[in-house]
Protein backbone atom coordinates (compact mmCIF):
# COMPACT_ATOMS: atom_id res chain seq x y z
CA UNK A 1 0.00 0.00 0.00
CA UNK A 2 1.41 3.39 -0.96
CA UNK A 3 1.44 6.23 1.50
CA UNK A 4 -1.31 7.88 -0.58
CA UNK A 5 -3.56 4.99 0.40
CA UNK A 6 -4.34 3.80 -3.14
CA UNK A 7 -2.96 1.52 -5.85
CA UNK A 8 -2.36 2.13 -9.52
CA UNK A 9 -2.75 -0.30 -12.42
CA UNK A 10 -0.91 -3.62 -12.42
CA UNK A 11 -0.61 -3.40 -8.65
CA UNK A 12 1.81 -0.49 -8.80
CA UNK A 13 1.55 2.10 -6.07
CA UNK A 14 0.87 5.71 -6.95
CA UNK A 15 4.33 6.57 -5.64
CA UNK A 16 5.98 4.15 -8.08
CA UNK A 17 4.06 5.66 -10.98
CA UNK A 18 4.94 9.18 -9.90
CA UNK A 19 8.63 8.27 -9.59
CA UNK A 20 8.78 6.73 -13.08
CA UNK A 21 6.94 9.63 -14.69
CA UNK A 22 9.21 12.05 -12.84
CA UNK A 23 12.31 10.28 -14.18
CA UNK A 24 10.89 10.32 -17.70
CA UNK A 25 10.14 14.04 -17.45
CA UNK A 26 13.74 14.69 -16.35
CA UNK A 27 15.01 12.93 -19.48
CA UNK A 28 12.59 14.78 -21.79
CA UNK A 29 12.88 18.30 -20.39
CA UNK A 30 14.63 21.11 -22.22
CA UNK A 31 16.31 22.60 -19.15
CA UNK A 32 17.35 25.86 -20.79
CA UNK A 33 13.79 26.45 -21.94
CA UNK A 34 12.32 25.47 -18.56
CA UNK A 35 14.66 27.76 -16.59
CA UNK A 36 13.52 30.73 -18.67
CA UNK A 37 9.87 30.23 -17.69
CA UNK A 38 8.09 31.94 -14.81
CA UNK A 39 7.23 29.54 -11.94
CA UNK A 40 3.50 29.53 -12.72
CA UNK A 41 4.10 28.87 -16.43
CA UNK A 42 6.55 26.09 -15.55
CA UNK A 43 3.93 24.57 -13.26
CA UNK A 44 1.46 24.50 -16.16
CA UNK A 45 4.07 22.97 -18.49
CA UNK A 46 4.77 20.21 -15.96
CA UNK A 47 1.07 19.50 -15.62
CA UNK A 48 0.63 19.23 -19.39
CA UNK A 49 3.68 17.00 -19.78
CA UNK A 50 2.57 14.72 -16.93
CA UNK A 51 -0.93 14.35 -18.39
CA UNK A 52 0.58 13.58 -21.78
CA UNK A 53 2.74 10.80 -20.32
CA UNK A 54 -0.21 9.34 -18.41
CA UNK A 55 -2.11 9.26 -21.70
CA UNK A 56 0.86 7.81 -23.61
CA UNK A 57 1.32 4.93 -21.17
CA UNK A 58 -2.47 4.39 -20.99
CA UNK A 59 -2.47 4.44 -17.21
CA UNK A 60 -5.93 3.70 -15.82
CA UNK A 61 -6.06 6.33 -13.09
CA UNK A 62 -9.04 7.87 -11.41
CA UNK A 63 -9.25 11.65 -11.05
CA UNK A 64 -7.91 11.65 -7.46
CA UNK A 65 -4.82 9.58 -8.34
CA UNK A 66 -4.18 11.67 -11.45
CA UNK A 67 -4.31 14.86 -9.38
CA UNK A 68 -2.00 13.40 -6.73
CA UNK A 69 0.60 12.41 -9.33
CA UNK A 70 0.51 15.83 -11.03
CA UNK A 71 0.73 17.64 -7.67
CA UNK A 72 3.55 15.38 -6.49
CA UNK A 73 5.63 15.99 -9.61
CA UNK A 74 5.05 19.75 -9.44
CA UNK A 75 6.11 19.75 -5.79
CA UNK A 76 9.18 17.64 -6.59
CA UNK A 77 10.32 19.84 -9.48
CA UNK A 78 9.38 23.27 -8.11
CA UNK A 79 9.01 22.90 -4.36
CA UNK A 80 10.34 20.72 -1.57
CA UNK A 81 8.83 17.42 -2.54
CA UNK A 82 6.72 15.52 0.03
CA UNK A 83 6.76 18.33 2.62
CA UNK A 84 5.38 20.93 0.20
CA UNK A 85 1.75 20.30 1.36
CA UNK A 86 2.85 20.92 4.97
CA UNK A 87 4.48 24.21 3.92
CA UNK A 88 1.22 25.34 2.34
CA UNK A 89 -0.83 24.37 5.42
CA UNK A 90 -1.36 27.53 7.54
CA UNK A 91 -1.98 25.47 10.70
CA UNK A 92 1.56 24.01 10.61
CA UNK A 93 4.14 26.10 12.48
CA UNK A 94 7.10 23.67 12.57
CA UNK A 95 8.12 20.77 10.32
CA UNK A 96 10.53 18.23 11.84
CA UNK A 97 12.04 15.54 9.60
CA UNK A 98 13.82 12.71 11.45
CA UNK A 99 15.20 10.79 8.49
CA UNK A 100 13.31 9.96 5.28
CA UNK A 101 10.48 7.98 6.86
CA UNK A 102 9.54 10.01 9.95
CA UNK A 103 8.08 13.51 9.61
CA UNK A 104 6.41 15.45 12.44
CA UNK A 105 4.52 18.75 12.34
CA UNK A 106 3.62 21.22 15.05
CA UNK A 107 -0.01 22.32 15.02
CA UNK A 108 -1.47 24.66 17.64
CA UNK A 109 1.60 24.23 19.85
CA UNK A 110 1.56 20.40 19.77
CA UNK A 111 3.97 18.17 17.81
CA UNK A 112 2.10 15.40 15.96
CA UNK A 113 3.25 12.68 13.52
CA UNK A 114 2.30 12.91 9.83
CA UNK A 115 2.01 10.30 7.08
CA UNK A 116 4.53 12.18 4.92
CA UNK A 117 7.62 10.22 3.82
CA UNK A 118 10.53 10.64 1.43
CA UNK A 119 11.49 7.87 -1.00
CA UNK A 120 14.89 7.32 0.62
CA UNK A 121 17.85 9.20 2.13
CA UNK A 122 19.02 10.38 -1.30
CA UNK A 123 15.59 11.96 -1.91
CA UNK A 124 15.73 13.84 1.40
CA UNK A 125 19.31 14.96 0.71
CA UNK A 126 18.23 16.39 -2.67
CA UNK A 127 15.54 18.47 -0.97
CA UNK A 128 18.01 19.73 1.67
CA UNK A 129 20.53 20.62 -1.04
CA UNK A 130 17.82 22.49 -2.96
CA UNK A 131 17.04 24.60 0.12
CA UNK A 132 20.61 25.56 1.00
CA UNK A 133 21.82 26.13 -2.57
CA UNK A 134 19.23 28.88 -3.03
CA UNK A 135 21.11 31.11 -0.60
CA UNK A 136 24.62 30.10 -1.58
CA UNK A 137 25.21 27.62 1.23
CA UNK A 138 26.39 24.03 0.93
CA UNK A 139 25.95 20.86 2.93
CA UNK A 140 28.17 17.81 2.53
CA UNK A 141 30.45 15.57 4.59
CA UNK A 142 32.87 18.46 5.11
CA UNK A 143 30.05 20.80 6.24
CA UNK A 144 27.36 18.47 7.62
CA UNK A 145 25.39 21.19 9.46
CA UNK A 146 23.75 24.23 7.92
CA UNK A 147 21.36 27.05 8.78
CA UNK A 148 19.33 28.44 5.90
CA UNK A 149 15.98 29.99 5.14
CA UNK A 150 13.16 29.58 2.66
CA UNK A 151 11.94 32.41 0.40
CA UNK A 152 9.05 33.08 2.82
CA UNK A 153 11.52 33.67 5.68
CA UNK A 154 11.04 30.31 7.39
CA UNK A 155 14.16 29.20 9.23
CA UNK A 156 15.77 25.91 8.24
CA UNK A 157 18.35 23.77 10.01
CA UNK A 158 19.77 20.60 8.47
CA UNK A 159 22.19 17.95 9.77
CA UNK A 160 23.34 15.09 7.56
CA UNK A 161 25.42 11.93 8.09
CA UNK A 162 27.89 11.19 9.56
CA UNK A 163 26.62 13.52 12.32
CA UNK A 164 23.01 12.35 11.89
CA UNK A 165 23.12 8.62 12.65
CA UNK A 166 19.66 7.59 11.42
CA UNK A 167 19.54 9.66 8.25
CA UNK A 168 19.42 13.37 7.36
CA UNK A 169 17.61 15.67 9.79
CA UNK A 170 15.64 18.73 8.70
CA UNK A 171 13.89 21.29 10.93
CA UNK A 172 11.79 24.12 9.50
CA UNK A 173 10.57 26.92 11.77
CA UNK A 174 7.74 28.64 9.91
CA UNK A 175 6.52 32.20 10.18
CA UNK A 176 3.17 33.70 9.30
CA UNK A 177 2.96 35.06 5.75
CA UNK A 178 0.92 37.93 7.17
CA UNK A 179 2.58 39.03 10.44
CA UNK A 180 0.46 38.80 13.57
CA UNK A 181 -0.89 42.00 15.04
CA UNK A 182 -1.31 42.90 18.68
CA UNK A 183 -5.03 42.24 18.30
CA UNK A 184 -4.22 38.69 17.17
CA UNK A 185 -2.19 38.05 20.33
CA UNK A 186 -5.04 39.39 22.47
CA UNK A 187 -7.54 37.12 20.71
CA UNK A 188 -5.17 34.13 21.16
CA UNK A 189 -5.08 34.87 24.91
CA UNK A 190 -1.34 35.58 24.87
CA UNK A 191 -1.91 38.86 26.72
CA UNK A 192 -4.70 41.20 27.78
CA UNK A 193 -5.73 44.42 26.10
CA UNK A 194 -4.30 46.33 29.06
CA UNK A 195 -0.93 44.59 28.82
CA UNK A 196 -0.88 45.25 25.09
CA UNK A 197 -1.61 48.93 25.68
CA UNK A 198 1.30 49.14 28.12
CA UNK A 199 3.75 47.32 25.78
CA UNK A 200 2.77 49.58 22.88
CA UNK A 201 3.36 52.58 25.12
CA UNK A 202 6.81 51.28 26.13
CA UNK A 203 7.81 50.99 22.47
CA UNK A 204 6.52 54.45 21.52
CA UNK A 205 8.22 55.99 24.56
CA UNK A 206 11.55 54.48 23.40
CA UNK A 207 12.31 52.30 26.42
CA UNK A 208 14.89 49.54 25.86
CA UNK A 209 13.18 46.15 25.98
CA UNK A 210 14.36 42.55 26.43
CA UNK A 211 12.08 39.65 25.45
CA UNK A 212 12.97 36.45 27.29
CA UNK A 213 11.70 32.92 26.73
CA UNK A 214 12.46 29.34 25.79
CA UNK A 215 12.67 27.76 22.35
CA UNK A 216 9.40 28.08 20.44
CA UNK A 217 7.81 30.28 23.10
CA UNK A 218 7.02 33.12 20.68
CA UNK A 219 9.87 35.58 21.31
CA UNK A 220 10.31 36.57 17.66
CA UNK A 221 6.55 36.79 17.13
CA UNK A 222 6.22 39.17 20.08
CA UNK A 223 9.20 41.21 18.87
CA UNK A 224 7.47 41.56 15.49
CA UNK A 225 4.24 42.67 17.11
CA UNK A 226 6.04 45.13 19.38
CA UNK A 227 7.94 46.64 16.45
CA UNK A 228 4.65 47.59 14.78
CA UNK A 229 4.33 50.41 17.35
CA UNK A 230 7.56 52.09 16.17
CA UNK A 231 6.77 55.37 14.36
CA UNK A 232 7.15 55.22 10.57
CA UNK A 233 9.58 58.17 10.47
CA UNK A 234 12.35 56.31 12.36
CA UNK A 235 15.31 54.51 10.79
CA UNK A 236 15.39 50.93 12.09
CA UNK A 237 18.28 48.49 11.67
CA UNK A 238 17.66 44.79 12.28
CA UNK A 239 20.49 42.32 12.91
CA UNK A 240 19.88 38.56 12.94
CA UNK A 241 21.64 35.23 12.50
CA UNK A 242 18.83 34.13 10.18
CA UNK A 243 16.42 36.80 8.95
CA UNK A 244 13.07 36.22 10.67
CA UNK A 245 11.71 39.66 11.57
CA UNK A 246 8.97 41.08 9.34
CA UNK A 247 8.89 44.79 10.11
CA UNK A 248 6.30 46.83 8.20
CA UNK A 249 7.82 50.31 8.48
CA UNK A 250 9.15 51.95 5.29
CA UNK A 251 12.65 52.72 6.59
CA UNK A 252 14.05 49.35 7.69
CA UNK A 253 17.62 48.17 7.03
CA UNK A 254 17.97 44.40 7.41
CA UNK A 255 21.30 42.64 7.97
CA UNK A 256 22.11 38.96 8.45
CA UNK A 257 25.28 37.37 9.78
CA UNK A 258 27.36 35.02 7.62
CA UNK A 259 28.92 31.76 8.81
CA UNK A 260 32.50 30.81 7.89
CA UNK A 261 33.10 29.02 4.60
CA UNK A 262 34.43 25.48 4.30
CA UNK A 263 37.96 26.79 4.95
CA UNK A 264 36.84 28.50 8.15
CA UNK A 265 37.13 31.99 6.69
CA UNK A 266 34.78 34.82 5.81
CA UNK A 267 32.62 34.78 8.94
CA UNK A 268 30.66 37.95 9.68
CA UNK A 269 29.18 37.76 13.19
CA UNK A 270 26.27 39.61 14.72
CA UNK A 271 28.83 41.57 16.72
CA UNK A 272 30.54 42.72 13.51
CA UNK A 273 27.20 43.81 12.07
CA UNK A 274 26.22 45.61 15.27
CA UNK A 275 29.47 47.57 15.39
CA UNK A 276 29.03 48.55 11.76
CA UNK A 277 25.37 49.51 12.30
CA UNK A 278 26.41 52.21 14.76
CA UNK A 279 27.99 54.03 11.79
CA UNK A 280 24.75 53.81 9.81
CA UNK A 281 22.81 56.43 11.79
CA UNK A 282 20.12 54.18 13.28
CA UNK A 283 17.27 55.52 15.41
CA UNK A 284 16.71 52.04 16.82
CA UNK A 285 18.53 48.75 16.64
CA UNK A 286 16.58 45.50 16.84
CA UNK A 287 18.66 42.37 17.32
CA UNK A 288 16.89 39.08 16.74
CA UNK A 289 18.66 37.35 19.63
CA UNK A 290 21.73 37.96 21.77
CA UNK A 291 23.72 34.81 22.39
CA UNK A 292 27.37 35.86 22.70
CA UNK A 293 29.85 38.71 22.63
CA UNK A 294 27.49 41.05 20.76
CA UNK A 295 25.66 41.67 24.05
CA UNK A 296 28.40 44.13 25.12
CA UNK A 297 27.98 46.26 22.01
CA UNK A 298 24.19 46.03 22.25
CA UNK A 299 24.12 47.28 25.84
CA UNK A 300 26.57 50.05 25.02
CA UNK A 301 24.38 51.13 22.09
CA UNK A 302 21.35 51.22 24.40
CA UNK A 303 23.35 53.36 26.84
CA UNK A 304 24.63 55.81 24.24
CA UNK A 305 21.65 57.27 22.47
CA UNK A 306 19.92 54.40 20.71
CA UNK A 307 16.87 54.40 22.98
CA UNK A 308 14.01 52.13 22.06
CA UNK A 309 16.23 49.25 20.98
CA UNK A 310 15.01 45.68 21.47
CA UNK A 311 16.34 42.14 21.49
CA UNK A 312 15.49 38.62 22.68
CA UNK A 313 17.30 36.05 24.81
CA UNK A 314 16.84 32.39 25.73
CA UNK A 315 15.98 32.20 29.44
CA UNK A 316 13.34 30.67 31.71
CA UNK A 317 12.63 33.79 33.80
CA UNK A 318 13.42 37.53 33.81
CA UNK A 319 16.00 37.00 36.56
CA UNK A 320 17.65 34.18 34.59
CA UNK A 321 17.73 36.48 31.55
CA UNK A 322 19.77 39.09 33.44
CA UNK A 323 22.12 36.40 34.76
CA UNK A 324 22.67 35.15 31.20
CA UNK A 325 23.44 38.69 30.03
CA UNK A 326 26.08 38.96 32.75
CA UNK A 327 27.67 35.68 31.69
CA UNK A 328 27.70 36.84 28.07
CA UNK A 329 29.46 40.05 29.05
CA UNK A 330 32.20 37.86 30.49
CA UNK A 331 32.32 35.90 27.21
CA UNK A 332 32.69 39.21 25.35
CA UNK A 333 35.95 39.82 27.18
CA UNK A 334 34.66 42.55 29.50
CA UNK A 335 37.06 42.51 32.42
CA UNK A 336 35.03 44.16 35.13
CA UNK A 337 33.60 43.36 38.53
CA UNK A 338 30.16 41.80 38.71
CA UNK A 339 28.70 45.01 40.12
CA UNK A 340 30.01 47.03 37.16
CA UNK A 341 28.47 44.54 34.73
CA UNK A 342 25.14 44.66 36.55
CA UNK A 343 25.19 48.45 36.50
CA UNK A 344 25.69 48.34 32.75
CA UNK A 345 22.73 45.97 32.36
CA UNK A 346 20.53 47.89 34.79
CA UNK A 347 21.14 51.25 33.13
CA UNK A 348 20.71 49.90 29.57
CA UNK A 349 17.47 47.93 29.97
CA UNK A 350 14.13 49.17 31.26
CA UNK A 351 11.76 46.19 30.96
CA UNK A 352 12.02 42.40 30.64
CA UNK A 353 9.04 40.61 29.07
CA UNK A 354 8.87 36.85 29.69
CA UNK A 355 7.00 34.64 27.21
CA UNK A 356 6.35 30.94 27.72
CA UNK A 357 4.84 28.01 25.89
CA UNK A 358 2.56 26.21 28.33
CA UNK A 359 1.99 22.47 28.57
CA UNK A 360 -1.07 22.61 26.28
CA UNK A 361 0.80 24.50 23.56
CA UNK A 362 -0.55 27.96 24.42
CA UNK A 363 1.96 30.81 24.28
CA UNK A 364 1.51 33.60 26.81
CA UNK A 365 3.26 36.63 28.24
CA UNK A 366 3.81 35.18 31.71
CA UNK A 367 5.61 38.14 33.31
CA UNK A 368 6.36 41.79 32.64
CA UNK A 369 9.00 43.21 34.98
CA UNK A 370 10.54 46.65 35.29
CA UNK A 371 14.25 47.06 36.06
CA UNK A 372 14.48 49.76 38.71
CA UNK A 373 18.25 49.98 39.27
CA UNK A 374 20.92 48.46 41.48
CA UNK A 375 20.52 47.72 45.19
CA UNK A 376 23.82 46.63 46.67
CA UNK A 377 25.19 44.11 44.19
CA UNK A 378 21.79 43.02 42.83
CA UNK A 379 19.75 44.36 39.91
CA UNK A 380 16.40 45.26 41.41
CA UNK A 381 13.20 44.40 39.53
CA UNK A 382 9.49 44.74 40.16
CA UNK A 383 6.77 42.73 38.48
CA UNK A 384 3.94 44.71 36.89
CA UNK A 385 1.90 41.88 35.31
CA UNK A 386 2.03 38.11 35.47
CA UNK A 387 0.07 35.05 34.45
CA UNK A 388 -1.03 32.81 37.33
CA UNK A 389 -1.74 29.22 36.35
CA UNK A 390 -4.46 27.69 38.52
CA UNK A 391 -4.73 24.19 37.10
CA UNK A 392 -5.65 22.05 34.08
CA UNK A 393 -9.05 21.33 32.55
CA UNK A 394 -10.11 17.67 31.99
CA UNK A 395 -9.01 18.13 28.36
CA UNK A 396 -5.51 19.18 29.48
CA UNK A 397 -5.98 22.89 28.76
CA UNK A 398 -4.12 25.25 31.09
CA UNK A 399 -6.39 27.32 33.33
CA UNK A 400 -5.31 30.60 34.83
CA UNK A 401 -5.57 34.36 34.79
CA UNK A 402 -3.52 37.48 34.10
CA UNK A 403 -3.13 39.68 37.13
CA UNK A 404 -1.74 43.13 37.78
CA UNK A 405 0.45 43.13 40.89
CA UNK A 406 -0.71 46.57 42.02
CA UNK A 407 2.69 48.21 41.52
CA UNK A 408 2.68 51.41 39.52
CA UNK A 409 5.90 51.36 37.45
CA UNK A 410 8.59 54.00 37.80
CA UNK A 411 8.61 54.46 34.02
CA UNK A 412 5.03 55.83 34.08
CA UNK A 413 6.18 59.50 34.26
CA UNK A 414 8.43 58.95 31.24
CA UNK A 415 5.48 57.63 29.29
CA UNK A 416 3.30 60.57 30.28
CA UNK A 417 5.96 63.08 29.12
CA UNK A 418 5.76 61.38 25.71
CA UNK A 419 1.99 61.86 25.65
CA UNK A 420 1.21 58.26 26.60
CA UNK A 421 -1.22 58.35 29.48
CA UNK A 422 -2.16 55.05 31.11
CA UNK A 423 -5.18 54.66 33.34
CA UNK A 424 -4.51 53.97 37.03
CA UNK A 425 -7.06 51.16 36.80
CA UNK A 426 -4.65 49.28 34.54
CA UNK A 427 -2.41 48.57 37.52
CA UNK A 428 -5.05 47.79 40.16
CA UNK A 429 -4.41 44.34 41.69
CA UNK A 430 -8.09 43.47 41.77
CA UNK A 431 -8.21 43.27 37.98
CA UNK A 432 -8.18 39.66 36.74
CA UNK A 433 -8.57 38.34 33.22
CA UNK A 434 -8.92 34.69 32.26
Amino acid sequence: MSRFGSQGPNGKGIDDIKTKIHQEILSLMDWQHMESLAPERLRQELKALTEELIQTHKLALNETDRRLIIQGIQDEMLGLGPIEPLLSDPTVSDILVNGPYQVYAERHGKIVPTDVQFDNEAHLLRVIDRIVSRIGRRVDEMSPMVDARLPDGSRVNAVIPPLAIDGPLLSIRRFAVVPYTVQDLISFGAMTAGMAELIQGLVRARLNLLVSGGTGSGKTTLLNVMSASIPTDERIITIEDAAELQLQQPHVVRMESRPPNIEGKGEISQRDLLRNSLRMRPDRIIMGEVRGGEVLDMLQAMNTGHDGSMTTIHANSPRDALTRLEHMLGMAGLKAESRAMRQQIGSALSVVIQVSRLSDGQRKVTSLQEITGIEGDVISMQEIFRFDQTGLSPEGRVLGAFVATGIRPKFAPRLSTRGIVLSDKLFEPTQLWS
Side-chain angles (χ1 to χ4, degrees):
M1 180 69 71
S2 85
R3 66 175 174 269
F4 289 106
S6 59
Q7 295 287 319
N10 303 320
K12 294 179 181 177
I14 294 300
D15 280 355
D16 294 336
I17 297 172
K18 184 193 75 175
T19 300
K20 291 186 177 180
I21 291 179
H22 180 214
Q23 291 171 346
E24 197 164 346
I25 288 175
L26 289 175
S27 65
L28 293 172
M29 281 179 66
D30 180 348
W31 284 100
Q32 287 188 339
H33 169 67
M34 291 297 187
E35 287 177 357
S36 67
L37 297 178
E40 194 51 46
R41 175 70 188 281
L42 181 53
R43 187 172 287 273
Q44 291 301 321
E45 293 266 355
L46 286 170
K47 179 180 179 183
L49 189 52
T50 304
E51 288 178 335
E52 182 182 328
L53 289 172
I54 290 174
Q55 196 81 15
T56 299
H57 293 296
K58 299 180 180 179
L59 299 176
L61 298 171
N62 59 40
E63 185 58 35
T64 299
D65 290 344
R66 182 186 296 264
R67 189 170 62 250
L68 286 171
I69 289 174
I70 292 171
Q71 183 67 50
I73 289 173
Q74 289 175 330
D75 290 344
E76 195 62 47
M77 302 289 287
L78 299 174
L80 300 182
I83 60 174
E84 193 66 29
L86 295 177
L87 288 167
S88 59
D89 185 345
T91 66
V92 173
S93 55
D94 285 0
I95 301 168
L96 309 171
V97 181
N98 304 340
Y101 311 118
Q102 193 178 61
V103 179
Y104 288 84
E106 181 182 298
R107 287 185 169 93
H108 311 297
K110 288 288 189 179
I111 296 175
V112 295
T114 72
D115 59 1
V116 172
Q117 290 185 348
F118 291 82
D119 295 338
N120 47 43
E121 285 194 14
H123 186 196
L124 176 52
L125 282 170
R126 285 199 304 273
V127 169
I128 292 173
D129 188 61
R130 189 178 304 163
I131 293 171
V132 301
S133 61
R134 287 173 177 172
I135 59 168
R137 304 275 175 85
R138 58 183 291 180
V139 58
D140 51 33
E141 286 191 6
M142 294 294 292
S143 303
M145 292 191 301
V146 67
D147 264 318
R149 69 172 183 274
L150 299 177
D152 66 357
S154 299
R155 188 169 180 174
V156 178
N157 179 270
V159 184
I160 68 169
L163 300 188
I165 297 172
D166 299 318
L169 307 175
L170 179 66
S171 305
I172 300 177
R173 300 284 309 280
R174 298 190 62 210
F175 299 94
V177 176
V178 178
Y180 288 130
T181 65
V182 68
Q183 199 56 48
D184 290 328
L185 296 194
I186 294 170
S187 64
F188 296 156
M191 65 176 77
T192 67
M195 293 167 66
E197 180 187 355
L198 176 59
I199 291 173
Q200 288 175 313
L202 295 173
V203 174
R204 292 200 302 272
R206 299 180 65 91
L207 273 71
N208 295 324
L209 307 177
L210 177 67
V211 179
S212 167
T215 301
S217 59
K219 298 186 298 298
T220 304
T221 298
L222 180 58
L223 199 60
N224 258 324
V225 169
M226 288 162 52
S227 68
S229 300
I230 298 174
T232 57
D233 60 349
E234 294 188 18
R235 176 174 168 85
I236 309 164
I237 293 182
T238 69
I239 298 170
E240 301 174 84
D241 267 337
E244 300 174 357
L245 295 171
Q246 299 170 288
L247 274 65
Q248 305 301 302
Q249 285 81 356
H251 198 164
V252 177
V253 178
R254 304 170 71 211
M255 294 194 290
E256 183 180 60
S257 64
R258 185 178 73 185
N261 61 20
I262 194 169
E263 297 172 350
K265 300 177 181 178
E267 179 181 13
I268 305 294
S269 68
Q270 284 195 117
R271 190 172 190 182
D272 296 328
L273 294 176
L274 181 53
R275 286 175 171 175
N276 188 73
S277 72
L278 299 176
R279 305 183 184 98
M280 299 171 67
R281 204 268 179 219
D283 287 313
R284 301 188 196 225
I285 298 171
I286 300 179
M287 180 166 283
E289 180 186 341
V290 289
R291 61 183 70 182
E294 66 273 5
V295 67
L296 175 59
D297 302 275
M298 187 71 193
L299 293 175
Q300 287 179 337
M302 289 176 168
N303 271 323
T304 54
H306 299 92
D307 294 340
S309 296
M310 296 178 271
T311 188
T312 73
I313 190 171
H314 271 81
N316 293 327
S317 71
R319 180 61 63 184
D320 287 346
L322 300 187
T323 302
R324 281 208 69 206
L325 288 177
E326 188 177 336
H327 291 163
M328 289 179 191
L329 285 173
M331 292 166 54
L334 180 63
K335 296 179 180 178
E337 295 180 354
S338 294
R339 179 178 172 80
M341 291 184 183
R342 290 166 190 165
Q343 283 179 328
Q344 175 117 343
I345 295 169
S347 60
L349 293 170
S350 301
V351 173
V352 182
I353 303 171
Q354 183 72 31
V355 291
S356 303
R357 181 170 64 173
L358 307 182
S359 59
D360 61 354
Q362 292 186 79
R363 294 168 171 88
K364 292 185 181 292
V365 175
T366 51
S367 182
L368 190 152
Q369 298 199 25
E370 178 187 22
I371 296 175
T372 57
I374 299 287
E375 292 183 5
D377 288 335
V378 179
I379 299 174
S380 57
M381 306 173 72
Q382 57 185 16
E383 192 167 48
I384 312 301
F385 291 104
R386 68 171 180 268
F387 177 76
D388 285 339
Q389 181 174 338
T390 57
L392 292 174
S393 72
E395 298 78 27
R397 185 173 178 81
V398 171
L399 303 176
F402 292 102
V403 58
T405 61
I407 297 172
R408 185 170 180 82
K410 292 184 177 181
F411 55 65
R414 178 170 174 178
L415 267 62
S416 62
T417 60
R418 299 290 183 106
I420 302 161
V421 180
L422 301 173
S423 169
D424 288 338
K425 290 184 178 180
L426 185 63
F427 305 104
E428 290 181 2
T430 54
Q431 294 276 7
L432 285 171
W433 306 270
S434 59

